[in-house]
Amino acid sequence: MAEAGAVSAPYSLGLYEKAMPDLSWREKLILTRECGFDYMEISIDETDKKLSRLDSEETQREILAAIAETGVPIRTMCLSGHRKYPLGSHDPEIRARSLEIMQKAVAFAERIGIRIIQLAGYDVYYENGDADTRRWFLQNLRTAVEMAAMKGVLLGFETMETPFLDTVEKGMRYVAEIDSPYLGMYPDIGNLKNAAVLYGTDVARDLEKGAAHTFAAHLKETKPGLYRDMLFGQADGHTEYERCLTVLCGQGVRMFTGEFWYHGEEHYRENIENAARFLRGKIDAVLMRSGSSD
């Protein structure tokens, strides 16, 4: 398959880090390029191993060296560590930890060259939400956006699998409340389709509500009730790629990340190559119809 860098396209397609096995940084970036993607999205999840990246000077030096050697950037960060340490927790120590993670993530992004940090749209995850968790979430979100603004890093909400923030419309309420150019949307179109089925709404109409505030989008296969661990184009998948991409491209969105997971498959490289072909085919078709393919 041709390397992504050899193909001129009016958009960037990223590969989610968890689609690959536990390779070196250099190997991950080379695999990203060779399989047809333009950049890698790094994962900072709730595990100690991933969170420790924010503190490790050695790890950050290794990442920068790998980027310099391969020429493949890491442009986005999926910051799901707030699931365990949420901004809206009832526990003040957890809320303090959430802001510490946020500050370190912003500093990490600035150093590595990451443009967008994708925020998990949870007030809490392992606790029951209430008026207090929503109030603390908003309060700490303001602080998080100030942190990002100081470093010129964008924060974009991922639309999740829980009712707190599972649609663009819900995310935009916080975007409007904070009213900062550094807070917007980074929706997951697979999650959005599941929400549309749940609520009896239209996924494309929901995406339209993020106009001028959507920085990028996760492209992911889902089906009713299942939010992950599917491959692109499965017969029972129901993500509406072209309808969603038509809205997103019409809004000027040009960064997309393919989100899927590696689970020990020997043929993981083939899965990654197939994902790149599938997603580029969908994006290219939409841009060609709109006359934006040049």
Side-chain angles (χ1 to χ4, degrees):
M1 183 173 185
E3 293 182 359
V7 179
S8 177
Y11 60 89
S12 292
L13 181 63
L15 176 63
Y16 185 48
E17 181 189 356
K18 289 186 177 181
M20 296 177 275
D22 188 15
L23 305 170
S24 70
W25 292 109
R26 178 181 179 276
E27 290 169 332
K28 285 180 180 179
L29 295 180
I30 289 173
L31 186 64
T32 296
R33 179 185 63 207
E34 290 183 345
C35 289
F37 290 85
D38 301 308
Y39 67 91
M40 191 186 88
E41 176 166 283
I42 193 170
S43 167
I44 305 293
D45 64 22
E46 65 186 75
T47 64
D48 291 340
K49 181 178 180 180
K50 292 286 202 307
L51 288 171
S52 70
R53 295 171 170 180
L54 302 180
D55 296 302
S56 173
E57 287 286 329
E58 180 181 359
T59 296
Q60 293 171 36
R61 285 193 298 269
E62 289 173 356
I63 292 172
L64 287 169
I67 291 171
E69 180 181 352
T70 64
V72 179
I74 299 176
R75 290 187 179 149
T76 57
M77 174 195 295
C78 180
L79 180 60
S80 55
H82 282 147
R83 184 164 67 174
K84 184 175 181 181
Y85 303 102
L87 295 170
S89 176
H90 292 98
D91 186 335
E93 292 186 4
I94 292 179
R95 295 199 303 273
R97 176 66 170 140
S98 76
L99 289 177
E100 178 187 22
I101 290 169
M102 190 75 255
Q103 189 166 39
K104 290 178 178 180
V106 168
F108 182 99
E110 181 192 31
R111 184 176 187 188
I112 301 301
I114 291 168
R115 272 64 167 174
I116 306 168
I117 296 176
Q118 185 185 52
L119 294 179
Y122 302 122
D123 57 341
V124 289
Y125 187 80
Y126 297 110
E127 308 171 39
N128 292 322
D130 54 31
D132 285 335
T133 63
R134 293 188 291 273
R135 174 171 56 84
W136 284 319
F137 174 81
L138 179 59
Q139 175 182 311
N140 289 326
L141 178 64
R142 290 187 189 279
T143 301
V145 174
E146 290 172 1
M147 292 174 178
M150 288 176 63
K151 302 295 185 180
V153 176
L154 300 172
L155 304 181
F157 281 129
E158 181 177 13
T159 48
M160 309 307 294
E161 76 282 15
T162 59
F164 177 73
L165 204 159
D166 55 358
T167 67
V168 172
E169 182 177 17
K170 291 177 181 179
M172 284 301 299
R173 293 172 189 166
Y174 287 99
V175 172
E177 178 72 21
I178 299 297
D179 195 23
S180 166
Y182 292 94
L183 179 66
M185 298 300 304
Y186 187 161
D188 181 311
I189 66 171
N191 291 352
L192 287 180
K193 178 59 180 177
N194 275 354
V197 170
L198 180 65
Y199 300 132
T201 55
D202 184 270
V203 64
R205 302 289 81 78
D206 183 56
L207 276 170
E208 289 174 354
K209 294 178 170 65
H213 295 281
T214 299
F215 302 141
H218 263 186
L219 309 181
K220 185 177 71 181
E221 192 68 78
T222 60
K223 63 182 181 180
L226 185 65
Y227 288 81
R228 55 180 294 157
D229 296 331
M230 296 184 67
L231 295 178
F232 294 104
Q234 284 188 215
D236 54 349
H238 68 168
T239 301
E240 296 185 59
Y241 295 99
E242 293 196 22
R243 288 192 71 231
C244 291
L245 286 165
T246 296
V247 174
L248 291 164
C249 290
Q251 293 172 344
V253 177
R254 291 296 183 271
M255 288 183 67
F256 306 96
T257 300
E259 186 182 27
F260 56 110
W261 286 263
Y262 165 76
H263 290 296
E265 304 92 341
E266 291 185 6
H267 56 282
Y268 68 86
R269 185 185 181 101
E270 180 182 348
N271 286 346
I272 298 171
E273 291 173 343
N274 288 341
R277 281 192 290 267
F278 179 89
L279 295 174
R280 287 195 185 277
K282 298 296 185 183
I283 302 168
D284 290 343
V286 167
L287 290 175
M288 185 168 294
R289 284 199 301 270
S290 69
S292 302
S293 59
D294 297 330

